[in-house]
Amino acid sequence: MKRVFSGVKPTGHLTLGNYLGALRQWAEVDQHRADSLFCVVDLHALTVDHDPARVRRLSRQAATLLLAVGLDPQLCTVFVQSHVDEHARLSYLLECVATDGEMRRMIQYKEKSGRERAREGSVRLSLLTYPVLMAADILAYGADEVPVGDDQAQHVELTRDLAVRFNQRYGHTFVVPKATHPTVAARVMNLQDPASKMGKSDDFGPGIVYLLDEPDVVRKKVMRAVTDSGREVVYDREERPGLANLLEILAACTGGDPEALAGAYGSYGALKQDTADAVVEVLRPVQARHRELCADPVQVEGVLREGAAKARAMARPVVDSAYRAIGLLPPAPEPVAERVLNAAR
């Protein structure tokens, strides 16, 4: 069975884009076809200025939503990144294999560091190196596939390069993974700015539908979505990006084809109404399950505790092997008597 790894970063509330572009695929397909690990990558949330209490709150919310969308701990492993030390252990080794030039060519680093400098803020070193931590997240588990959106494909390519380079220099240690992409709605765009993705890091805005938005709020946001000049409803990503975004959202919610759906509508209003209704119905069971899980936080904590233990057991042999391969001296084993005493405790 193939192994799949992916994660969500708790830098904002999860959105419809996260669900249609990734989470639903994880729940409906990936956990059933592969040995799958899904992670709240909280260490990645520390690369920019942040409120510690908010990171903790969003991490718990993200973990709860992973279960609410249908991830089953009996079928997959759900855990929090910082609960498994092997991520940080392996990240430093991979920093010793990566190059400064590779890091500075990362598109997300250029964009995010540019925004920080424009605000006259400082750019944290971790913002430059976090793609290496992402590579460690993947390689520690011997993942074969990494389901990602288009904006993360470059990071998976870096992961592949680092795995190949490490294997060539120090002996075969890592599986070389590949990125996989959903066929529809891989990148849901902002309803008010169809040139930008519907990102969870934005704290507000009528163009972002959050998974926990009330139905009336969802309908209002969709009905106010930006469309394009002209009257005819056609599917054209380049010339009519606003309409294309609505059609792709409707297609993803109903299982239809965006181009075929376009022919069924004679007005923008009817398309928006059906899209709003479809989004509300898709989110309804997720929100209901989320309420149930919030009423039983001990259940979520148990899932995360057991998930971290499973993940640790998978990652530790790989990371220990990498430590040996790169030339680090292994720790001396415990004396037998001390080992027996520790086990008895």
Side-chain angles (χ1 to χ4, degrees):
M1 182 179 285
K2 289 184 181 295
R3 180 166 288 174
V4 168
F5 177 93
S6 199
V8 293
K9 184 165 59 173
T11 51
H13 300 288
L14 294 177
T15 71
L16 178 67
N18 298 128
Y19 180 65
L20 296 180
L23 306 184
R24 188 171 64 173
Q25 169 88 9
W26 299 355
E28 295 182 356
V29 178
D30 293 330
Q31 69 173 342
H32 298 285
R33 71 174 180 86
D35 178 13
S36 300
L37 299 99
F38 301 111
C39 180
V40 179
V41 287
D42 54 343
L43 294 175
H44 291 291
L46 310 184
T47 60
V48 294
D49 191 31
H50 64 277
D51 172 18
R54 186 170 187 268
V55 170
R56 283 191 290 271
R57 185 169 64 251
L58 289 175
S59 295
R60 176 178 288 277
Q61 184 185 89
T64 305
L65 280 168
L66 289 182
L67 301 177
V69 302
L71 293 184
D72 183 348
Q74 301 301 315
L75 299 175
C76 65
T77 304
V78 180
F79 66 105
V80 175
Q81 178 191 31
S82 63
H83 295 177
V84 181
D85 294 345
E86 278 63 32
H87 293 254
R89 288 181 63 208
L90 181 56
S91 182
Y92 180 73
L93 293 197
L94 295 179
E95 284 187 14
C96 297
V97 176
T99 68
D100 176 74
E102 285 176 315
M103 297 299 98
R104 296 186 187 280
R105 285 195 295 271
M106 294 289 110
I107 294 171
Q108 289 209 0
Y109 171 72
K110 292 179 180 179
E111 293 176 349
K112 292 180 180 180
S113 63
R115 288 197 293 268
E116 285 295 322
R117 292 189 180 99
R119 292 197 294 260
E120 297 185 350
S122 60
V123 179
R124 300 186 181 193
L125 179 61
S126 56
L127 185 63
L128 178 67
T129 60
Y130 94 89
V132 177
L133 176 58
M134 182 175 173
D137 298 338
I138 297 164
L139 297 180
Y141 298 101
D144 302 285
E145 297 179 6
V146 188
V148 291
D150 296 339
D151 58 327
Q152 292 293 333
Q154 187 185 33
H155 292 157
V156 180
E157 284 305 307
L158 173 69
T159 302
R160 291 171 54 84
D161 291 343
L162 295 180
V164 169
R165 191 177 306 154
F166 192 102
N167 290 347
Q168 289 175 342
R169 289 180 181 175
Y170 306 114
H172 184 78
T173 306
F174 299 120
V175 173
V176 180
K178 68 175 183 178
T180 59
H181 308 275
T183 56
V184 177
R187 199 175 191 196
V188 177
M189 312 308 283
N190 188 297
L191 294 174
Q192 292 297 313
D193 179 13
S196 303
K197 73 171 185 175
M198 190 180 285
K200 64 179 179 298
S201 296
D202 301 315
D203 290 333
F204 57 88
I208 305 163
V209 176
Y210 296 104
L211 293 189
L212 298 179
D213 275 347
E214 294 292 333
D216 288 348
V217 174
V218 172
R219 288 193 171 91
K220 185 180 294 185
K221 288 178 177 180
V222 175
M223 294 304 294
R224 292 179 177 176
V226 167
T227 49
D228 311 281
S229 59
R231 297 185 143 194
E232 187 180 4
V233 179
V234 295
Y235 178 66
D236 187 332
R237 259 185 172 276
E238 297 299 321
E239 299 297 326
R240 314 286 288 278
L243 278 177
N245 190 35
L246 288 172
L247 288 164
E248 289 190 351
I249 291 171
L250 179 60
C253 290
T254 62
D257 175 75
E259 197 163 353
L261 285 169
Y265 292 94
S267 70
Y268 294 169
L271 170 62
K272 288 183 175 181
Q273 185 64 60
D274 283 0
T275 302
D277 290 344
V279 172
V280 167
E281 288 307 309
V282 160
L283 296 185
R284 192 183 304 280
V286 175
Q287 294 177 353
R289 179 60 176 151
H290 179 265
R291 287 191 293 271
E292 293 175 1
L293 291 166
C294 286
D296 186 12
V298 173
Q299 180 182 354
V300 177
E301 291 170 2
V303 168
L304 296 180
R305 184 172 55 252
E306 293 173 11
K310 287 173 60 180
R312 197 175 300 117
M314 284 185 249
R316 183 163 294 169
V318 177
V319 177
D320 285 350
S321 177
Y323 269 57
R324 290 192 299 272
I326 206 169
L328 297 177
L329 184 68
E334 289 181 308
V336 174
E338 188 175 335
R339 190 162 61 245
V340 171
L341 181 58
N342 287 336
R345 288 173 182 166

